[in-house]
Amino acid sequence: MTSAASSTAPEWGEDRLPPRQRAWSAIRGAAPIFLVLLALLVAIAIRNPNFTEPSVFLAFLKRATPLAILAAGQLFVVVAGEIDLSVGSLITAVVVAAAGLIDGDPAKTWPVIALLFLGGAVVGSINGSITTRLGVPSFITTLGMLLVLQGGALLATGGSPRGSLPDNFRVFGRRGFEGVPAIGQLPYSVVILVVVGALAVALLHRTTFGKQLFAAGGNPRAATLSGVDVPRVRTFAFMLSAISAVVAGILLGGFAGLSQNAGEGAEFQAISAVVLGGASLSGGRGGTIAAMAGALTLEALFTLLNLLGLPKPLRDAVQGAIIIAAVAFAAYRSRQR
Amino acid sequence: MIAGGAAPGFAARLRRGFAASDAAPIYGALALVAAISWGAIVLAGGQINLANTLVRSVALGLVAVGQTFVILGGSLDLSVAYQVSVTAVMASYIMQGDPNRMWLGVIAVLLIGLAIGCANGLIVTGLRVDPFIATLGSGLILRGILNASFDNFAGAVPKEFQVLGYGALGPLPYAVLLLGVVAAAAWALLRFTRFGHHLYAVGGSQETARLSGVRSARVLIGAHMLCSLGAVLTGLFLVSRLGAGAPWVGPDGNYDLESIAAVVLGGTPLVGGRGGVLGTVAGVLILALLDNLFNQLAVNTFLKEVLRGVIIVAAVAIYTVRSVRSPR
C-alpha cells in the first residue's frame, strides 16, 4: 500500500493532489502511534465489548500507568541523546527497599516515600555525572548502574525480599476515588498518570530547559556554543528518568505487591515505547504524549494478545515484530519527506 | 616454504599490528589485574587455576569476539543471548544423542545463525531500524518462538560432542584453543582483508565510507552474520558442557549486555570505527580473572554483581579520561 503511494506520487503535480492522497497526507501528518493505539483499542473492544465500560477501560489505564510514566521519564534522556538502562532494576530496588524499610508499619510510609524519591534523584545524578563529566557512554554507565542496583537490592535482602508493604503504601497503585459520577471508581493511578503527563509535557515542551534538552540532543556542539550547559541539562534528564522509575516502582509495588522481579525488562519496554512514539535514539526528536501513547500501545497489545488467547511466549514474538515494523515504518516515512 | 628471512619480518609485522591495534594499554591493564588478583588469591591461601579461568572465559569470549564486528561497524546486537539459546537447543534437539547426527546439528545451527545475522543486518541496513531496537525486537521474536516450542532441556548431544567442552590437547583445553583460533581469525580478517578495512571505514563514518565506494550495507550485513557466528559457537560450547540445551542458557548468562561490556572494556567505543578483537579478548579475560578472584574469596553472588557493575563503569571511565587527555 505504501509502496504504491510512493510510486504514484511523481505522476501527480505537487500542486494538485487527488482527494484520496490529500486525505492520506493528512493522516501521515499525525503521529502514527495514535492511529495504531486507536486501532488496537477498537480491536480490543470488538473482542471484548465490556472494554468500553468506564471501569474496565480505567482498569486498563491503571495497568498501563507505570510504563507510561516510565516512558515519559525515559523520553527526557532519549531526547538528550542518551539512554537509561537502569530504570528496570531501579523499580525493583524501590519495591524491595520500600518493603524492607517500611516493614508493614503504616507510620513509616511517608518518610520512606520521601527517602525513595531522594534515592532516585541520587541515582539519576550519579548516572548523569558519570556520563557527562567522565565521558562514559550512557549505555555503559546505566548498564553498570543496572548491575549495582540489581545486585544491591538482592544483597540487602539476602536473595529473598523481606518486610511487607502496608495498605497506605499500596493504596496508590490499587485504589482510587470512590463514587465518582458516571464512572464509579477513579483510580489514583490514572490521576497520577494525568498529573505526571501534564508536568512532563510542560517541562519538555514549554520551558527553556526543554528547548535546551532538544538542542543538546540534536547537536551538542551547537548547543554548547549557544550557551547551553549540556552536561547539566543531560544530568537533569537522568534525574527525571530515575524519578519516573521511583513513581513507577511505588505504583507497581501497590498494584502487584512485593516481588524481586518487579521491574524486570521495564527498561526495554520504556525504550520501545519512546521509540514507538517517534523519538529518535540518536537524540533531538520526540514528543511526551506520543511516548506515553507508545506505552499505552504496548499495554494494549499485551491485552489484545491475551484476549486472543496467545500463549505468553508468542506474545513476546509478536511484540518484537511489531516494534521492528513500527520503527521501520517511521524510518520509511522520514525518508519520503 | 617459509624462508629463514621471512620469520623476523612476520614477527615484526605482528608486533606492528599489535601496536597499531591500540590494544597495548589494555594488555597492561590485564597484566595488572592478573597480578593483583593472583596475588590476592595466593595471600588468601587459594589456588590459581589458569585453565579454569580460561575455560570460563570461552563462552563470553566467543560471543564477544562476534559482537566486536558489529560494534566496530557502529551497530550492536542485543539478540545474541537468544541466539546462544537457539543454538544450544537446536543442536541438542537435532543431534538427539546420536554421534552420526553430530555434524548435521553443527551445520544446521551454523546456517540458522547465519540466517538470523543476515536478517538482523537487513533490518538495520534495509529497513533503517536503529540497531538497538532492531536486535531488541529480533531477540524478543527468537525468545518467543523458542519458549513456545521448548520449555525444558531438549534432546541431548552425543558423548563425542562433549569433547569440545571437556577435552584437551595436552594442557590446553580444546575450548580455549577454539577461542584462540577464532580470535586470531577475526583479527586477521579485520587487519588483512578488504572487508575488515571497509568495516572500520563504515564504523568511522557510514556516509564517508559510502561516498568512497564502500557498500556499507553489505559490510554491515556481513558484520552481523559474523556476530551471529560468534553466538553460535558460544551456544555449541555451552551445549557441549551441559549435555543438552535449554531455552534459558543464553539469557541466564547475560551474554547480550556482558558481551557489549567486554567489547567496550576492550577499548572499542560503541560508536565504532576504532578498536579490535585483541582488546575484546583482554576485556573478556579481565572479567574472567575478576570472577575467579571473587569466587576464590567467596564473595557473595550479589555483591559480585555490584562490583562488576562498578568495575565496568570505572574501567571505561579511565579509558575515556585517558583518551581525552591524549587525543589521537
Side-chain angles (χ1 to χ4, degrees):
Chain A
M1 182 177 71
T2 45
S3 65
S6 73
S7 64
T8 54
E11 287 175 23
W12 304 93
E14 283 180 15
D15 42 359
R16 45 186 289 266
L17 289 167
R20 258 187 60 202
Q21 282 211 353
R22 222 170 5 203
W24 178 234
S25 76
I27 290 171
R28 294 212 302 190
I33 190 64
F34 296 108
L35 294 175
V36 178
L37 176 58
L38 191 68
L40 281 172
L41 292 178
V42 169
I44 295 173
I46 291 172
R47 187 80 195 176
N48 173 17
N50 283 341
F51 192 70
T52 49
E53 277 173 29
S55 62
V56 180
F57 183 71
L58 285 172
F60 162 76
L61 277 185
K62 183 162 105 176
R63 231 177 17 252
T65 295
L67 183 56
I69 289 176
L70 207 57
Q74 182 78 239
L75 182 67
F76 285 99
V77 175
V78 169
V79 161
E82 306 285 353
I83 201 162
D84 189 350
L85 297 176
S86 66
V87 286
S89 58
L90 181 54
I91 288 177
T92 303
V94 162
V95 174
V96 168
L101 292 174
I102 300 175
D103 202 9
D105 178 3
K108 290 190 192 153
T109 291
W110 286 103
V112 168
I113 285 179
L115 199 67
L116 291 174
F117 276 104
L118 190 69
V122 170
V123 166
S125 65
I126 292 174
N127 278 340
S129 308
I130 292 177
T131 301
T132 59
R133 310 285 172 192
L134 297 181
V136 177
S138 51
F139 189 98
I140 297 293
T141 310
T142 56
L143 168 61
M145 185 57 89
L146 181 161
L147 292 173
V148 168
L149 288 172
Q150 192 170 287
L154 294 171
L155 184 65
T157 58
S160 58
R162 265 177 240 166
S164 64
L165 296 167
D167 272 345
N168 70 342
F169 182 92
R170 298 195 61 170
V171 62
F172 303 107
R174 274 212 289 203
R175 309 223 178 281
F177 297 107
E178 302 294 339
V180 179
I183 51 173
Q185 189 208 52
L186 178 63
Y188 295 132
S189 281
V190 177
V191 178
I192 294 171
L193 173 68
V194 172
V195 171
V196 170
L199 283 176
V201 168
L203 199 55
L204 188 59
H205 302 287
R206 299 277 180 278
T207 64
T208 315
F209 162 72
K211 289 191 178 71
Q212 291 183 335
L213 210 54
F214 276 101
N219 186 339
R221 175 136 180 80
T224 306
L225 290 175
S226 32
V228 176
D229 187 345
V230 174
R232 216 180 99 189
V233 293
R234 280 188 171 160
T235 303
F236 200 47
F238 277 105
M239 291 171 73
L240 289 170
S241 169
I243 285 170
S244 78
V246 174
V247 176
I250 291 172
L251 293 176
L252 270 177
F255 184 70
L258 175 56
S259 153
Q260 161 171 306
N261 326 322
E264 207 174 84
E267 62 279 359
F268 289 125
Q269 286 186 4
I271 293 166
S272 301
V274 164
V275 173
L276 282 177
S280 154
L281 280 184
S282 44
R285 206 150 50 81
T288 302
I289 295 180
M292 294 173 91
L296 294 187
T297 304
L298 278 182
E299 201 61 51
L301 185 65
F302 300 150
T303 307
L304 181 63
L305 295 176
N306 208 3
L307 279 175
L308 294 176
L310 249 69
K312 164 93 177 57
L314 281 182
R315 276 184 259 161
D316 286 337
V318 174
Q319 187 198 346
I322 284 185
I323 292 171
I324 291 178
V327 176
F329 178 67
Y332 170 80
R333 264 166 47 106
S334 73
R335 278 203 300 283
Q336 295 296 301
R337 282 184 188 151
Chain B
M1 278 297 284
I2 297 171
F10 181 67
R13 261 218 321 266
L14 269 183
R15 257 202 313 280
R16 267 209 309 280
F18 184 69
S21 73
D22 292 348
I26 299 145
Y27 278 83
L30 174 62
L32 194 69
V33 171
I36 291 174
S37 68
W38 287 338
I41 290 172
V42 169
L43 282 180
Q47 278 199 328
I48 297 170
N49 191 341
L50 183 59
N52 191 25
T53 307
L54 287 175
V55 169
R56 289 175 75 98
S57 42
V58 167
L60 181 60
L62 291 167
V63 65
V65 165
Q67 188 74 258
T68 311
F69 284 101
V70 275
I71 294 186
L72 276 178
S75 187
L76 57 77
D77 191 345
L78 289 173
S79 68
V80 285
Y82 295 106
Q83 293 183 44
V84 168
S85 288
V86 167
T87 302
V89 169
M90 287 313 290
S92 66
Y93 182 69
I94 292 173
M95 291 180 194
Q96 292 291 347
D98 180 357
N100 295 325
R101 296 168 66 91
M102 204 164 82
W103 289 107
L104 178 70
V106 170
I107 290 168
V109 295
L110 282 174
L111 290 178
I112 293 172
L114 287 175
I116 295 172
C118 185
N120 277 339
L122 283 172
I123 294 170
V124 170
T125 59
L127 300 179
R128 312 274 178 93
V129 177
D130 186 285
F132 186 97
I133 295 295
T135 57
L136 179 65
S138 67
L140 278 174
I141 295 175
L142 291 179
R143 176 168 90 175
I145 295 173
L146 200 60
N147 286 336
S149 322
F150 300 94
D151 55 5
N152 210 329
F153 287 100
V157 296
K159 277 263 178 306
E160 288 81 351
F161 189 71
Q162 296 205 274
V163 169
L164 172 63
Y166 293 100
L169 185 73
L172 209 59
Y174 284 134
V176 175
L177 212 60
L178 175 68
L179 176 60
V181 169
V182 166
W187 176 77
L189 189 62
L190 285 170
R191 178 131 189 91
F192 299 120
T193 68
R194 198 167 56 168
F195 165 78
H197 295 287
H198 283 176
L199 186 59
Y200 277 96
V202 169
S205 165
Q206 201 159 340
E207 194 55 23
T208 312
R210 201 180 61 77
L211 292 175
S212 339
V214 175
R215 292 177 183 264
S216 316
R218 282 192 194 176
V219 173
L220 267 182
I221 293 171
H224 272 282
M225 290 169 78
L226 287 169
C227 175
S228 295
L229 281 187
V232 167
L233 291 177
T234 294
L236 285 175
F237 168 68
L238 284 177
V239 77
S240 81
R241 293 281 289 187
L242 296 171
W248 57 80
V249 296
D252 272 11
N254 262 332
Y255 292 111
D256 38 9
L257 296 177
E258 294 241 335
S259 65
I260 295 170
V263 171
V264 175
L265 204 58
T268 303
L270 279 174
V271 290
R274 274 189 297 124
V277 166
L278 293 181
T280 300
V281 172
V284 169
L285 290 176
I286 288 176
L287 288 177
L289 280 170
L290 290 170
D291 212 38
N292 181 241
L293 171 67
F294 296 151
N295 283 343
Q296 289 281 338
L297 299 182
V299 173
N300 175 302
T301 327
F302 308 126
L303 182 59
K304 226 161 64 180
E305 206 172 334
V306 172
L307 289 174
R308 196 182 297 149
V310 171
I311 287 165
I312 289 172
V313 173
V316 176
I318 292 169
Y319 291 158
T320 41
V321 168
R322 268 175 57 102
S323 68
V324 165
R325 234 177 255 154
S326 58
R328 286 175 192 281

PDB file of all heavy atoms in Angstrom, chain A residues 152-178:
ATOM      1  N   GLY A 152      22.606  -4.922  44.448  1.00  0.00           N
ATOM      2  CA  GLY A 152      22.437  -4.270  45.741  1.00  0.00           C
ATOM      3  C   GLY A 152      21.115  -4.637  46.396  1.00  0.00           C
ATOM      4  O   GLY A 152      21.053  -4.927  47.593  1.00  0.00           O
ATOM      5  N   ALA A 153      20.030  -4.646  45.580  1.00  0.00           N
ATOM      6  CA  ALA A 153      18.714  -4.970  46.135  1.00  0.00           C
ATOM      7  C   ALA A 153      18.706  -6.397  46.677  1.00  0.00           C
ATOM      8  O   ALA A 153      18.172  -6.662  47.761  1.00  0.00           O
ATOM      9  CB  ALA A 153      17.635  -4.809  45.062  1.00  0.00           C
ATOM     10  N   LEU A 154      19.325  -7.313  45.926  1.00  0.00           N
ATOM     11  CA  LEU A 154      19.332  -8.708  46.369  1.00  0.00           C
ATOM     12  C   LEU A 154      20.286  -8.907  47.540  1.00  0.00           C
ATOM     13  O   LEU A 154      20.027  -9.707  48.442  1.00  0.00           O
ATOM     14  CB  LEU A 154      19.742  -9.617  45.204  1.00  0.00           C
ATOM     15  CG  LEU A 154      18.727  -9.646  44.068  1.00  0.00           C
ATOM     16  CD1 LEU A 154      19.277 -10.388  42.861  1.00  0.00           C
ATOM     17  CD2 LEU A 154      17.440 -10.298  44.536  1.00  0.00           C
ATOM     18  N   LEU A 155      21.390  -8.126  47.517  1.00  0.00           N
ATOM     19  CA  LEU A 155      22.374  -8.234  48.594  1.00  0.00           C
ATOM     20  C   LEU A 155      21.742  -7.816  49.922  1.00  0.00           C
ATOM     21  O   LEU A 155      21.910  -8.475  50.952  1.00  0.00           O
ATOM     22  CB  LEU A 155      23.570  -7.334  48.258  1.00  0.00           C
ATOM     23  CG  LEU A 155      24.753  -7.359  49.209  1.00  0.00           C
ATOM     24  CD1 LEU A 155      25.399  -8.726  49.210  1.00  0.00           C
ATOM     25  CD2 LEU A 155      25.770  -6.305  48.795  1.00  0.00           C
ATOM     26  N   ALA A 156      20.986  -6.703  49.866  1.00  0.00           N
ATOM     27  CA  ALA A 156      20.392  -6.171  51.094  1.00  0.00           C
ATOM     28  C   ALA A 156      19.355  -7.122  51.668  1.00  0.00           C
ATOM     29  O   ALA A 156      19.127  -7.153  52.872  1.00  0.00           O
ATOM     30  CB  ALA A 156      19.757  -4.809  50.812  1.00  0.00           C
ATOM     31  N   THR A 157      18.721  -7.906  50.789  1.00  0.00           N
ATOM     32  CA  THR A 157      17.653  -8.775  51.273  1.00  0.00           C
ATOM     33  C   THR A 157      18.112 -10.218  51.400  1.00  0.00           C
ATOM     34  O   THR A 157      17.333 -11.070  51.813  1.00  0.00           O
ATOM     35  CB  THR A 157      16.464  -8.756  50.297  1.00  0.00           C
ATOM     36  OG1 THR A 157      16.939  -9.172  49.028  1.00  0.00           O
ATOM     37  CG2 THR A 157      15.860  -7.380  50.178  1.00  0.00           C
ATOM     38  N   GLY A 158      19.356 -10.486  51.002  1.00  0.00           N
ATOM     39  CA  GLY A 158      19.859 -11.846  51.091  1.00  0.00           C
ATOM     40  C   GLY A 158      19.216 -12.782  50.080  1.00  0.00           C
ATOM     41  O   GLY A 158      19.137 -13.985  50.297  1.00  0.00           O
ATOM     42  N   GLY A 159      18.704 -12.226  48.985  1.00  0.00           N
ATOM     43  CA  GLY A 159      18.207 -13.075  47.911  1.00  0.00           C
ATOM     44  C   GLY A 159      16.707 -13.224  47.875  1.00  0.00           C
ATOM     45  O   GLY A 159      16.122 -13.442  46.831  1.00  0.00           O
ATOM     46  N   SER A 160      16.050 -13.122  49.051  1.00  0.00           N
ATOM     47  CA  SER A 160      14.587 -13.171  49.008  1.00  0.00           C
ATOM     48  C   SER A 160      14.068 -11.953  49.748  1.00  0.00           C
ATOM     49  O   SER A 160      14.502 -11.670  50.868  1.00  0.00           O
ATOM     50  CB  SER A 160      14.084 -14.450  49.681  1.00  0.00           C
ATOM     51  OG  SER A 160      14.549 -14.489  51.002  1.00  0.00           O
ATOM     52  N   PRO A 161      13.173 -11.191  49.095  1.00  0.00           N
ATOM     53  CA  PRO A 161      12.746  -9.923  49.674  1.00  0.00           C
ATOM     54  C   PRO A 161      12.096 -10.096  51.042  1.00  0.00           C
ATOM     55  O   PRO A 161      11.364 -11.060  51.272  1.00  0.00           O
ATOM     56  CB  PRO A 161      11.743  -9.382  48.659  1.00  0.00           C
ATOM     57  CG  PRO A 161      11.582 -10.392  47.614  1.00  0.00           C
ATOM     58  CD  PRO A 161      12.544 -11.491  47.825  1.00  0.00           C
ATOM     59  N   ARG A 162      12.380  -9.143  51.912  1.00  0.00           N
ATOM     60  CA  ARG A 162      11.834  -9.198  53.266  1.00  0.00           C
ATOM     61  C   ARG A 162      10.892  -8.047  53.521  1.00  0.00           C
ATOM     62  O   ARG A 162      10.833  -7.119  52.731  1.00  0.00           O
ATOM     63  CB  ARG A 162      12.998  -9.091  54.254  1.00  0.00           C
ATOM     64  CG  ARG A 162      13.488 -10.442  54.717  1.00  0.00           C
ATOM     65  CD  ARG A 162      14.660 -10.226  55.625  1.00  0.00           C
ATOM     66  NE  ARG A 162      15.819 -10.890  55.057  1.00  0.00           N
ATOM     67  CZ  ARG A 162      17.054 -10.664  55.463  1.00  0.00           C
ATOM     68  NH1 ARG A 162      17.293  -9.757  56.372  1.00  0.00           N
ATOM     69  NH2 ARG A 162      18.047 -11.336  54.945  1.00  0.00           N
ATOM     70  N   GLY A 163      10.211  -8.071  54.622  1.00  0.00           N
ATOM     71  CA  GLY A 163       9.320  -6.977  55.005  1.00  0.00           C
ATOM     72  C   GLY A 163       8.010  -7.066  54.258  1.00  0.00           C
ATOM     73  O   GLY A 163       7.740  -8.043  53.551  1.00  0.00           O
ATOM     74  N   SER A 164       7.189  -6.020  54.423  1.00  0.00           N
ATOM     75  CA  SER A 164       5.922  -6.016  53.708  1.00  0.00           C
ATOM     76  C   SER A 164       5.483  -4.584  53.479  1.00  0.00           C
ATOM     77  O   SER A 164       5.970  -3.650  54.118  1.00  0.00           O
ATOM     78  CB  SER A 164       4.863  -6.763  54.513  1.00  0.00           C
ATOM     79  OG  SER A 164       4.624  -6.073  55.710  1.00  0.00           O
ATOM     80  N   LEU A 165       4.571  -4.431  52.516  1.00  0.00           N
ATOM     81  CA  LEU A 165       4.087  -3.106  52.165  1.00  0.00           C
ATOM     82  C   LEU A 165       2.719  -2.904  52.813  1.00  0.00           C
ATOM     83  O   LEU A 165       1.802  -3.671  52.560  1.00  0.00           O
ATOM     84  CB  LEU A 165       3.967  -2.999  50.641  1.00  0.00           C
ATOM     85  CG  LEU A 165       5.295  -3.118  49.887  1.00  0.00           C
ATOM     86  CD1 LEU A 165       5.071  -3.315  48.399  1.00  0.00           C
ATOM     87  CD2 LEU A 165       6.152  -1.882  50.123  1.00  0.00           C
ATOM     88  N   PRO A 166       2.588  -1.860  53.659  1.00  0.00           N
ATOM     89  CA  PRO A 166       1.295  -1.629  54.323  1.00  0.00           C
ATOM     90  C   PRO A 166       0.274  -1.069  53.337  1.00  0.00           C
ATOM     91  O   PRO A 166       0.623  -0.605  52.262  1.00  0.00           O
ATOM     92  CB  PRO A 166       1.639  -0.599  55.389  1.00  0.00           C
ATOM     93  CG  PRO A 166       2.812   0.127  54.843  1.00  0.00           C
ATOM     94  CD  PRO A 166       3.590  -0.865  54.040  1.00  0.00           C
ATOM     95  N   ASP A 167      -0.983  -1.087  53.751  1.00  0.00           N
ATOM     96  CA  ASP A 167      -2.052  -0.653  52.865  1.00  0.00           C
ATOM     97  C   ASP A 167      -1.907   0.809  52.432  1.00  0.00           C
ATOM     98  O   ASP A 167      -2.233   1.150  51.306  1.00  0.00           O
ATOM     99  CB  ASP A 167      -3.421  -0.847  53.545  1.00  0.00           C
ATOM    100  CG  ASP A 167      -3.941  -2.240  53.272  1.00  0.00           C
ATOM    101  OD1 ASP A 167      -3.387  -2.889  52.341  1.00  0.00           O
ATOM    102  OD2 ASP A 167      -4.861  -2.688  53.971  1.00  0.00           O
ATOM    103  N   ASN A 168      -1.428   1.675  53.357  1.00  0.00           N
ATOM    104  CA  ASN A 168      -1.362   3.079  52.971  1.00  0.00           C
ATOM    105  C   ASN A 168      -0.231   3.351  51.982  1.00  0.00           C
ATOM    106  O   ASN A 168      -0.128   4.440  51.432  1.00  0.00           O
ATOM    107  CB  ASN A 168      -1.295   4.012  54.193  1.00  0.00           C
ATOM    108  CG  ASN A 168       0.017   3.919  54.927  1.00  0.00           C
ATOM    109  OD1 ASN A 168       0.763   2.949  54.767  1.00  0.00           O
ATOM    110  ND2 ASN A 168       0.311   4.919  55.739  1.00  0.00           N
ATOM    111  N   PHE A 169       0.635   2.347  51.717  1.00  0.00           N
ATOM    112  CA  PHE A 169       1.612   2.448  50.626  1.00  0.00           C
ATOM    113  C   PHE A 169       1.000   1.900  49.339  1.00  0.00           C
ATOM    114  O   PHE A 169       1.141   2.470  48.266  1.00  0.00           O
ATOM    115  CB  PHE A 169       2.881   1.657  50.982  1.00  0.00           C
ATOM    116  CG  PHE A 169       3.964   1.748  49.940  1.00  0.00           C
ATOM    117  CD1 PHE A 169       4.950   2.723  50.022  1.00  0.00           C
ATOM    118  CD2 PHE A 169       4.005   0.863  48.867  1.00  0.00           C
ATOM    119  CE1 PHE A 169       5.944   2.811  49.060  1.00  0.00           C
ATOM    120  CE2 PHE A 169       4.996   0.949  47.899  1.00  0.00           C
ATOM    121  CZ  PHE A 169       5.970   1.922  48.009  1.00  0.00           C
ATOM    122  N   ARG A 170       0.277   0.801  49.487  1.00  0.00           N
ATOM    123  CA  ARG A 170      -0.246   0.122  48.300  1.00  0.00           C
ATOM    124  C   ARG A 170      -1.453   0.837  47.701  1.00  0.00           C
ATOM    125  O   ARG A 170      -1.837   0.546  46.567  1.00  0.00           O
ATOM    126  CB  ARG A 170      -0.620  -1.319  48.659  1.00  0.00           C
ATOM    127  CG  ARG A 170       0.589  -2.123  49.122  1.00  0.00           C
ATOM    128  CD  ARG A 170       0.308  -3.594  49.120  1.00  0.00           C
ATOM    129  NE  ARG A 170      -0.028  -4.062  47.780  1.00  0.00           N
ATOM    130  CZ  ARG A 170      -0.142  -5.342  47.459  1.00  0.00           C
ATOM    131  NH1 ARG A 170       0.047  -6.254  48.365  1.00  0.00           N
ATOM    132  NH2 ARG A 170      -0.459  -5.685  46.234  1.00  0.00           N
ATOM    133  N   VAL A 171      -2.015   1.769  48.475  1.00  0.00           N
ATOM    134  CA  VAL A 171      -3.238   2.433  48.039  1.00  0.00           C
ATOM    135  C   VAL A 171      -3.064   3.161  46.695  1.00  0.00           C
ATOM    136  O   VAL A 171      -3.965   3.183  45.874  1.00  0.00           O
ATOM    137  CB  VAL A 171      -3.729   3.385  49.149  1.00  0.00           C
ATOM    138  CG1 VAL A 171      -2.731   4.465  49.444  1.00  0.00           C
ATOM    139  CG2 VAL A 171      -5.041   3.995  48.805  1.00  0.00           C
ATOM    140  N   PHE A 172      -1.842   3.690  46.442  1.00  0.00           N
ATOM    141  CA  PHE A 172      -1.636   4.477  45.208  1.00  0.00           C
ATOM    142  C   PHE A 172      -1.794   3.615  43.959  1.00  0.00           C
ATOM    143  O   PHE A 172      -2.299   4.066  42.944  1.00  0.00           O
ATOM    144  CB  PHE A 172      -0.248   5.125  45.197  1.00  0.00           C
ATOM    145  CG  PHE A 172      -0.013   5.983  46.385  1.00  0.00           C
ATOM    146  CD1 PHE A 172       0.837   5.577  47.406  1.00  0.00           C
ATOM    147  CD2 PHE A 172      -0.661   7.199  46.501  1.00  0.00           C
ATOM    148  CE1 PHE A 172       1.045   6.367  48.508  1.00  0.00           C
ATOM    149  CE2 PHE A 172      -0.465   7.992  47.610  1.00  0.00           C
ATOM    150  CZ  PHE A 172       0.387   7.572  48.630  1.00  0.00           C
ATOM    151  N   GLY A 173      -1.312   2.385  44.047  1.00  0.00           N
ATOM    152  CA  GLY A 173      -1.381   1.529  42.866  1.00  0.00           C
ATOM    153  C   GLY A 173      -2.667   0.733  42.795  1.00  0.00           C
ATOM    154  O   GLY A 173      -2.998   0.162  41.760  1.00  0.00           O
ATOM    155  N   ARG A 174      -3.408   0.674  43.927  1.00  0.00           N
ATOM    156  CA  ARG A 174      -4.536  -0.253  43.980  1.00  0.00           C
ATOM    157  C   ARG A 174      -5.895   0.411  43.989  1.00  0.00           C
ATOM    158  O   ARG A 174      -6.826  -0.061  43.372  1.00  0.00           O
ATOM    159  CB  ARG A 174      -4.425  -1.112  45.242  1.00  0.00           C
ATOM    160  CG  ARG A 174      -3.561  -2.312  45.040  1.00  0.00           C
ATOM    161  CD  ARG A 174      -4.033  -3.458  45.865  1.00  0.00           C
ATOM    162  NE  ARG A 174      -3.779  -3.245  47.291  1.00  0.00           N
ATOM    163  CZ  ARG A 174      -3.690  -4.245  48.158  1.00  0.00           C
ATOM    164  NH1 ARG A 174      -3.827  -5.477  47.746  1.00  0.00           N
ATOM    165  NH2 ARG A 174      -3.478  -4.003  49.422  1.00  0.00           N
ATOM    166  N   ARG A 175      -6.003   1.524  44.747  1.00  0.00           N
ATOM    167  CA  ARG A 175      -7.330   2.084  44.979  1.00  0.00           C
ATOM    168  C   ARG A 175      -7.566   3.359  44.183  1.00  0.00           C
ATOM    169  O   ARG A 175      -6.757   3.726  43.332  1.00  0.00           O
ATOM    170  CB  ARG A 175      -7.527   2.345  46.470  1.00  0.00           C
ATOM    171  CG  ARG A 175      -7.192   1.161  47.340  1.00  0.00           C
ATOM    172  CD  ARG A 175      -8.198   0.949  48.443  1.00  0.00           C
ATOM    173  NE  ARG A 175      -7.852  -0.227  49.218  1.00  0.00           N
ATOM    174  CZ  ARG A 175      -8.100  -1.466  48.821  1.00  0.00           C
ATOM    175  NH1 ARG A 175      -8.705  -1.692  47.666  1.00  0.00           N
ATOM    176  NH2 ARG A 175      -7.746  -2.485  49.571  1.00  0.00           N
ATOM    177  N   GLY A 176      -8.683   4.028  44.506  1.00  0.00           N
ATOM    178  CA  GLY A 176      -8.993   5.254  43.787  1.00  0.00           C
ATOM    179  C   GLY A 176     -10.064   6.036  44.507  1.00  0.00           C
ATOM    180  O   GLY A 176     -10.526   5.641  45.582  1.00  0.00           O
ATOM    181  N   PHE A 177     -10.457   7.171  43.896  1.00  0.00           N
ATOM    182  CA  PHE A 177     -11.559   7.967  44.438  1.00  0.00           C
ATOM    183  C   PHE A 177     -12.850   7.220  44.183  1.00  0.00           C
ATOM    184  O   PHE A 177     -13.148   6.866  43.046  1.00  0.00           O
ATOM    185  CB  PHE A 177     -11.607   9.343  43.758  1.00  0.00           C
ATOM    186  CG  PHE A 177     -10.376  10.171  44.002  1.00  0.00           C
ATOM    187  CD1 PHE A 177      -9.458  10.372  42.988  1.00  0.00           C
ATOM    188  CD2 PHE A 177     -10.140  10.736  45.255  1.00  0.00           C
ATOM    189  CE1 PHE A 177      -8.315  11.138  43.213  1.00  0.00           C
ATOM    190  CE2 PHE A 177      -9.007  11.495  45.480  1.00  0.00           C
ATOM    191  CZ  PHE A 177      -8.082  11.692  44.451  1.00  0.00           C
ATOM    192  N   GLU A 178     -13.615   6.986  45.260  1.00  0.00           N
ATOM    193  CA  GLU A 178     -14.863   6.227  45.097  1.00  0.00           C
ATOM    194  C   GLU A 178     -16.013   7.179  44.782  1.00  0.00           C
ATOM    195  O   GLU A 178     -15.966   8.363  45.081  1.00  0.00           O
ATOM    196  CB  GLU A 178     -15.179   5.446  46.378  1.00  0.00           C
ATOM    197  CG  GLU A 178     -14.095   4.472  46.798  1.00  0.00           C
ATOM    198  CD  GLU A 178     -13.905   3.310  45.829  1.00  0.00           C
ATOM    199  OE1 GLU A 178     -14.852   3.020  45.049  1.00  0.00           O
ATOM    200  OE2 GLU A 178     -12.822   2.704  45.836  1.00  0.00           O
TER     201      GLU A 178
END
